[in-house]
């Protein structure tokens, strides 16, 4: 489905938060790299998908009622076998039911487990005065505790994307230190440019959150994507 179809479908159903599958399909249309994924409705299908994608995999709950999946025990990483897929499937269902017995469940997302890299966050918000704006920061404590983030009004130029990356305090970590090789800055610039285009093309997007994006020596991969509509 195309981005505009995904958005109108959600609107028709009265949903403001897109599912991770929908948000990642939108990312793919805009050339933002995401982890491979398949949606399964049963344990057996989950095992099949895991075998197609290849171990290790990650299992995540897909529900229009759950926005922060790990807060409800809805994410299990590092699954290495069919037996572990079945166990994780049941465990996540149990966790979610305990937390919110009425949550509607679309199924379970099976996804490729991205190797760890430098975690960055690309986001967007809507400024009441200036409209859509882009956010950039490094993952984890840098954003959550230190608020080490930077903003630009969209659309941005490539120069502005580079400026955003260079101006966070944690930038030296992206340039590499000790045994850690430098991260692929060009790949981050591309994600920022694509996100800028996406939010300009679709003004119905109120908030977007690619959190985290794993950045490697070569390339990057979005592990979680969230989109909220007006
Ligand atoms: P939440 O809705 O809680 O933000 P996420 O999809 O971001 O859920 O998953 C929580 C954490 O699990 C991520 O921040 C990341 O560290 C890890 N994770 C999730 N998906 C993957 C993946 N495909 N590969 C590697 N790690 C992942
Ligand atoms: Mg997340």
């Amino acid at each position: 489905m195309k981005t505009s179809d995904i958005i109108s479908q959600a609107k028709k159903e009265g949903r403001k938060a897109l599912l991770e599958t929908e948000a990642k399909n939108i990312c793919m249309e805009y050339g933002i790299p995401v982890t491979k994924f398949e949606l399964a409705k049963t344990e057996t299908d989950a095992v099949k998908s895991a075998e197609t994608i290849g171990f290790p995999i990650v299992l995540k709950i897909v529900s229009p009622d759950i926005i922060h999946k790990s807060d409800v025990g809805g994410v299990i990483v590092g699954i290495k076998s069919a037996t572990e897929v079945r166990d994780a499937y049941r465990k996540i269902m149990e966790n979610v039911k305990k937390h919110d017995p009425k949550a509607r469940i679309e199924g379970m997302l099976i996804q490729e487990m991205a190797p760890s890299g430098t975690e960055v966050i690309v986001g967007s918000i809507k400024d009441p005065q200036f409209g859509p704006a882009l956010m950039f920061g490094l993952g984890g404590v840098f954003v959550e505790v230190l608020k080490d983030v930077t903003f630009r009004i969209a659309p941005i130029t490539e120069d502005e994307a580079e400026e955003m990356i260079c101006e966070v305090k944690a930038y030296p970590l992206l340039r590499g230190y000790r045994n850690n090789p430098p991260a692929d800055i060009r790949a981050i610039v591309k994600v920022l440019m694509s996100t800028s285009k996406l939010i300009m093309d679709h003004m119905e997007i109120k908030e977007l959150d690619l959190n985290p994006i794993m950045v490697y020596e070569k390339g990057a991969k979005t592990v979680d994507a969230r989109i909220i509509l007006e």
Side-chain angles (χ1 to χ4, degrees), residues 117-120 136-143 146 148 165-166 168-185 188 215-217:
T118 309
E119 294 189 12
V120 306
F136 172 77
L138 267 75
V141 292
F142 296 101
V143 168
L146 303 172
D148 179 20
I165 298 165
C166 296
V168 292
K169 291 193 196 71
Y171 173 65
L173 296 183
L174 292 172
R175 296 201 36 202
Y177 62 100
R178 297 210 190 125
N179 294 327
N180 297 59
D184 190 341
I185 307 277
I188 310 174
V215 189
Y216 306 106
E217 257 187 283

Side-chain angles (χ1 to χ4, degrees), residues 46-58 78-86 110-113:
V47 171
K48 273 191 212 137
S49 292
E51 280 161 355
T52 311
I53 289 172
F55 294 103
I57 58 121
V58 176
I79 298 166
K80 292 186 226 61
S81 67
T83 318
E84 283 183 35
V85 172
R86 290 182 182 277
I110 291 84
Q111 55 183 252
E112 130 193 41
M113 170 125 181

Side-chain angles (χ1 to χ4, degrees), residues 67-79:
I67 297 191
H68 297 282
K69 301 172 293 283
S70 42
D71 290 356
V72 301
V75 179
I76 297 183
V77 301
I79 298 166

Side-chain angles (χ1 to χ4, degrees), residues 53-110:
I53 289 172
F55 294 103
I57 58 121
V58 176
L59 225 55
K60 300 188 199 183
I61 193 71
V62 181
S63 162
D65 301 312
I66 298 167
I67 297 191
H68 297 282
K69 301 172 293 283
S70 42
D71 290 356
V72 301
V75 179
I76 297 183
V77 301
I79 298 166
K80 292 186 226 61
S81 67
T83 318
E84 283 183 35
V85 172
R86 290 182 182 277
D87 290 348
Y89 195 105
R90 275 180 230 143
K91 183 73 195 155
I92 289 178
M93 285 299 183
E94 194 185 303
N95 290 345
V96 170
K97 294 227 165 85
K98 215 181 290 165
H99 181 270
D100 181 359
K102 287 208 267 318
R104 292 162 291 173
I105 291 166
E106 290 288 324
M108 203 68 83
L109 198 55
I110 291 84

